Amino acid sequence: MAAQVREVMTLGPVTVAPDTPVTEVARVMRDRNIGAVLVVDGGRLRGLVTDRDLTVRILAEDGDASARTVAEACSANVVCVAPEDDLDRAVQLMRGRALRRLPVVDDGRPVGMVTLGDVAVDQDPTCVLARITVAEPNL
């Protein structure tokens, strides 16, 4: 089993600028088959937006979604871990704050993402979540 976050994280997180239209972010999520995108400004992490954020904070509101930006939808107080952090710390943060994913940052710059699925694959590759995580999508 992994000891550090760097051993299980997914490298190269997808990032967008705060002024990116939410419709563009939704297309990126669809095309990349992901449920979260990091919001960066000047290379520094400023927020995280999920497909649920887009639904609840943008689509559920009245008005024209095409005129809205990701800055309006993202969570700004993002809990993060560093690549050298113990994986146990990441698991405790996820459990304690009911998080499904944690951005991995190095000196404020996003370098990866660790998800519940990543942890499941590492901890018990035979569990249901691990098997779902490694399965190829049937789109």
Side-chain angles (χ1 to χ4, degrees), residues 39-47 106-110:
V39 181
V40 297
D41 190 10
R44 314 287 278 175
L45 182 64
R46 298 293 182 231
D106 189 8
D107 193 30
R109 299 184 183 283

Side-chain angles (χ1 to χ4, degrees), residues 53 71 75:
D53 292 332
S75 300

Side-chain angles (χ1 to χ4, degrees), residues 77-80 90-91 93-103 114-116:
N77 297 323
V78 182
V79 177
C80 302
V91 170
L93 284 170
M94 294 170 96
R95 183 179 292 135
R97 297 184 186 218
L99 302 172
R100 295 180 178 167
R101 53 187 69 87
L102 286 172
V114 63
T115 68
L116 283 179

Side-chain angles (χ1 to χ4, degrees), residues 3-137:
Q4 291 186 322
V5 168
R6 76 172 72 253
E7 297 173 55
V8 300
M9 71 183 197
T10 301
L11 294 170
V14 177
T15 62
V16 296
D19 61 350
T20 305
V22 294
T23 51
E24 183 179 327
V25 173
R27 283 191 292 275
V28 167
M29 289 179 177
R30 177 199 62 201
D31 295 347
R32 301 250 187 134
N33 195 32
I34 57 175
V37 173
L38 299 180
V39 181
V40 297
D41 190 10
R44 314 287 278 175
L45 182 64
R46 298 293 182 231
L48 179 139
V49 65
T50 67
D51 46 6
R52 185 176 190 284
D53 292 332
L54 295 178
T55 301
V56 172
R57 295 180 180 159
I58 302 295
L59 296 178
E61 298 292 323
D62 291 331
D64 182 10
S66 66
R68 310 282 299 271
T69 67
V70 72
E72 299 173 69
C74 74
S75 300
N77 297 323
V78 182
V79 177
C80 302
V81 292
E84 63 276 0
D85 283 348
D86 288 338
L87 185 57
D88 287 341
R89 178 175 183 272
V91 170
Q92 289 172 353
L93 284 170
M94 294 170 96
R95 183 179 292 135
R97 297 184 186 218
L99 302 172
R100 295 180 178 167
R101 53 187 69 87
L102 286 172
V104 182
V105 297
D106 189 8
D107 193 30
R109 299 184 183 283
V111 295
M113 185 87 75
V114 63
T115 68
L116 283 179
D118 297 329
V119 173
V121 169
D122 178 69
Q123 303 289 313
D124 182 3
T126 64
C127 77
V128 173
L129 180 55
R131 292 194 323 250
I132 291 169
T133 300
V134 299
E136 289 295 320

